[in-house]
Amino acid sequence: MDFDKQLIAGKLRRWEKYLDNYRLPQWEDIPDIGLYMEQVIVLLKEYLDYFPPELKEEQFITAATINNYVRKKIMPEPVKKKYYRSHIAYLIIICSLKQCLSLSTIQTMLPLGLSDDELRETYNTYAQMHQISAVYFTKHVRIAACGILDHAPEPEGEFTTDRPSDLITAAAIISGFARLLAEKLLLLEGKTLENGGSIEVM
C-alpha cells in the first residue's frame, strides 16, 4: 500500500485537534420538546459529526434503523410519533457504540426501563467517558504515530478506574474510534496532497 506521509500526518493532527475539542451534548442541552423523525436524524448527524465525511455518505442513521431499534426494544417507543430527550439520549449512545458493538451488547449496556434519573446519570457518565476516551485515544495515536509526526513520544499518565462499567465503556468507545481511524486512513491510499488528498476535517 502506498501512503503519503505528509498527508497522513496532516490528517492525524487535524483529527486530533478536532476530537480534543469535540463534546457530546450535555443532557440538559438535548431537546425535550418532541421532535419528528426527520428532525431527530438531522440532530443526530450534528451531534455525531466526528464521523469522517466520506463515511457519512453511507447514512449511518436512517428512519428505518431507528424504527428497527424500537421494534427490537433497544430503545423506547416514540410518543405519538415524537421523540423526546430520553429517546435522543438512547440514540446518541446506540449510534456511537454500534460502530464497534453488536446491538445485543449495546442493549445489555443500555437496558430499557430506566427511570429518568437513571437515564440522565447513565447518559452523563457515557458523555464524560466519551470525552475522556477521545482524549486518551488521540494521545496514544500521537505516541504510536511519532515516526509519522516526527516527534518524540511524550510521557503519559494512565487512565485508571475501579469501576468495571467505566472500563467497559472506555474500551467500547476506544474500539469505535480505532475502527474509524483505520477506515479514515484507508481512504487515503494512493493519494497525496497534490493528487486530490485533503487534510481538511470536514
Side-chain angles (χ1 to χ4, degrees):
M1 288 192 251
D2 180 30
F3 294 102
D4 181 84
K5 181 178 173 182
Q6 184 181 1
L7 176 60
I8 297 289
K11 279 285 191 181
L12 289 174
R13 289 187 185 102
R14 284 182 177 267
W15 205 40
E16 177 185 0
K17 183 178 179 181
Y18 180 80
L19 286 180
D20 281 350
N21 293 303
Y22 176 82
R23 304 288 181 271
L24 289 175
Q26 297 293 310
W27 172 263
E28 54 275 1
D29 294 332
I30 299 172
D32 199 28
I33 56 174
L35 300 176
Y36 289 106
M37 178 75 78
E38 297 78 13
Q39 296 169 304
V40 170
I41 291 171
V42 169
L43 193 64
L44 286 172
K45 288 180 179 179
E46 176 186 325
Y47 286 160
L48 301 173
D49 71 350
Y50 61 86
F51 290 1
E54 301 92 338
L55 303 178
K56 285 183 189 175
E57 295 172 5
E58 297 176 11
Q59 295 297 319
F60 70 97
I61 183 69
T62 64
T65 58
I66 292 175
N67 288 331
N68 189 46
Y69 300 153
V70 171
R71 185 176 55 80
K72 291 186 173 183
K73 300 190 182 305
I74 297 167
M75 63 172 286
E77 294 182 12
V79 178
K80 297 181 180 177
K81 297 186 178 181
K82 289 188 176 181
Y83 296 82
Y84 292 84
R85 180 179 290 145
S86 59
H87 300 99
I88 297 167
Y90 267 91
L91 283 167
I92 290 169
I93 295 174
I94 292 166
C95 291
S96 57
L97 284 179
K98 77 173 188 173
Q99 300 299 310
C100 54
L101 297 177
S102 68
L103 291 177
S104 60
T105 302
I106 294 171
Q107 193 172 28
T108 301
M109 293 176 64
L110 184 66
L112 280 180
L114 296 176
S115 69
D116 287 345
D117 287 343
E118 289 171 328
L119 182 56
R120 182 177 66 246
E121 182 180 351
T122 298
Y123 176 81
N124 285 337
T125 299
Y126 182 81
Q128 181 182 25
M129 289 305 304
H130 196 279
Q131 179 184 346
I132 290 169
S133 299
V135 171
Y136 178 87
F137 173 80
T138 56
K139 284 182 178 179
H140 286 275
V141 168
R142 185 189 320 119
I143 291 171
C146 63
I148 296 170
L149 298 170
D150 295 324
H151 67 76
E154 301 170 12
E156 293 293 323
E158 293 297 327
F159 164 73
T160 60
T161 182
D162 58 359
R163 291 169 40 115
S165 61
D166 286 351
L167 186 59
I168 291 167
T169 300
I173 294 167
I174 289 167
S175 173
F177 281 128
R179 176 179 169 179
L180 289 170
L181 178 63
E183 292 175 348
K184 187 176 188 70
L185 296 182
L186 281 171
L187 293 170
L188 302 178
E189 183 178 5
K191 293 185 180 177
T192 66
L193 290 173
E194 290 75 32
N195 72 2
S198 168
I199 57 174
E200 295 299 322
V201 173
M202 301 304 288

